[in-house]
């Protein structure tokens, strides 16, 4: 208190002004909000198809880690981003941002992907890495990433990323067995497990609970096997569904409302996705890394996500951007490799 009291009053007042949250956003009464949400969802019409990913797609969705091992690269720091002097505000602000995102999602077009179709998602991505032997950090420029996945999960999909060879995303994992020492390896396949939050199919995503509490319970149940922070596992899993799937409007709305119930979620006043689109973000920090979801400031549409170091580590100084994604297109096509429309 002595240090604070000794500061000049003008400087103290300026600091307190920066710490104040933005003015409260008027909210509907619960009954009116439910009525509005029902009206928005009833007005939604199927106009664009769905997108999601499978377990194989999850494996290839992080090539900076998985593919980098075979290429002799490891994750490393990018140059630190400029620090935003404005602090994150309290969790109540995150709830308001996510509630607006839920209302926007509820009025979005519903997915319309047939079981025999492929779903397609196009995004811009950026990651950081350096040679395993050391040397200067190499930061990828934002580049296009495209993925096609079988709507019913029964056929091989395709991952296409600038600067890398195409990768087949098979629903079955190859396994090589030896009958005895010196024998030729015999290839068999490990059949995929049933769909889950971590390995969703279109049918699975479309059938997710629309009650936020029930949805969050399901996410927690299906991510409990991971180590570390259980709340962060749930937040990360929901973020993955937002980036790599296109759920029905009422499910997407429930995902946002479920995330608002996770402890430790805050807002970041200004953040940019990999395409440079500026907006407001909700974020959660765990293990010295902050995961941010960026939303359009005016429409509350989900734009993408990013991961930023909040404390210095072997990966780099505080402020290092480890990854960025900007979601550009979600659609359905007849075959892997085909572009929409």
């Amino acid at each position: 208190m002595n240090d604070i009291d000794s500061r000049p009053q003008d400087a103290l007042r300026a600091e307190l002004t920066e710490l104040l949250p933005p003015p409260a956003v008027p909210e509907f009464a619960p009954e009116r909000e439910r009525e509005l949400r029902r009206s928005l969802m009833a007005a939604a019409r199927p106009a664009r198809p769905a997108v999601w990913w499978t377990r194989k797609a999850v494996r290839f969705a992080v090539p900076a880690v998985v593919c980098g091992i075979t290429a002799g690269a490891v994750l490393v720091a990018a140059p630190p981003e400029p620090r935003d002097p404005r602090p994150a505000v309290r969790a109540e602000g995150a709830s308001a941002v996510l509630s607006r995102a839920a209302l926007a999602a509820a009025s979005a077009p519903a997915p319309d992907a047939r079981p025999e179709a492929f779903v397609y998602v196009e995004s811009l991505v950026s990651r950081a890495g350096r040679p395993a032997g050391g040397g200067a950090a190499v930061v990828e420029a934002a580049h296009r990433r495209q993925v096609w996945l079988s709507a019913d999960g029964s056929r091989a999909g395709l991952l296409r990323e600038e600067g890398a060879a195409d990768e087949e995303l098979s629903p079955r994992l190859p396994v090589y067995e030896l009958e005895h020492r010196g024998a030729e390896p015999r290839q068999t396949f490990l059949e995929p497990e049933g769909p889950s939050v971590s390995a969703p199919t279109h049918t699975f995503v479309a059938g997710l609970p629309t009650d936020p509490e029930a949805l969050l319970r399901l996410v927690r149940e299906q991510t409990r096997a991971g180590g570390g922070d259980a709340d962060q596992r749930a937040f990360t899993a929901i973020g993955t569904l937002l980036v790599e799937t296109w759920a029905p409007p009422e499910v997407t709305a429930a995902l946002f409302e479920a995330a608002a119930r996770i402890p430790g979620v805050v807002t970041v006043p200004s953040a940019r996705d990999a395409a440079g689109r500026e907006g407001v973000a909700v974020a959660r920090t765990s293990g010295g890394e902050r995961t941010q979801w960026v939303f359009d400031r005016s429409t509350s549409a989900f734009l993408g996500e990013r991961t930023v170091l909040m404390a210095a580590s072997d990966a780099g100084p505080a402020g290092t951007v480890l990854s960025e994604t900007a979601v550009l297109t979600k659609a359905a096509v007849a075959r892997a490799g085909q572009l929409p429309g």
Side-chain angles (χ1 to χ4, degrees), residues 147-164:
V147 63
W148 292 261
L149 290 144
S150 169
D152 60 7
S154 65
R155 288 162 293 170
L158 176 68
L159 174 67
R160 179 171 293 161
E161 190 165 348
E162 291 178 3

Side-chain angles (χ1 to χ4, degrees), residues 5-29:
D5 292 340
S6 64
R7 298 176 190 172
Q9 291 299 312
D10 290 344
L12 179 60
R13 186 178 298 108
E15 290 183 16
L16 292 174
T17 300
E18 288 293 317
L19 291 172
L20 287 174
V25 178
E27 297 183 355
F28 293 115

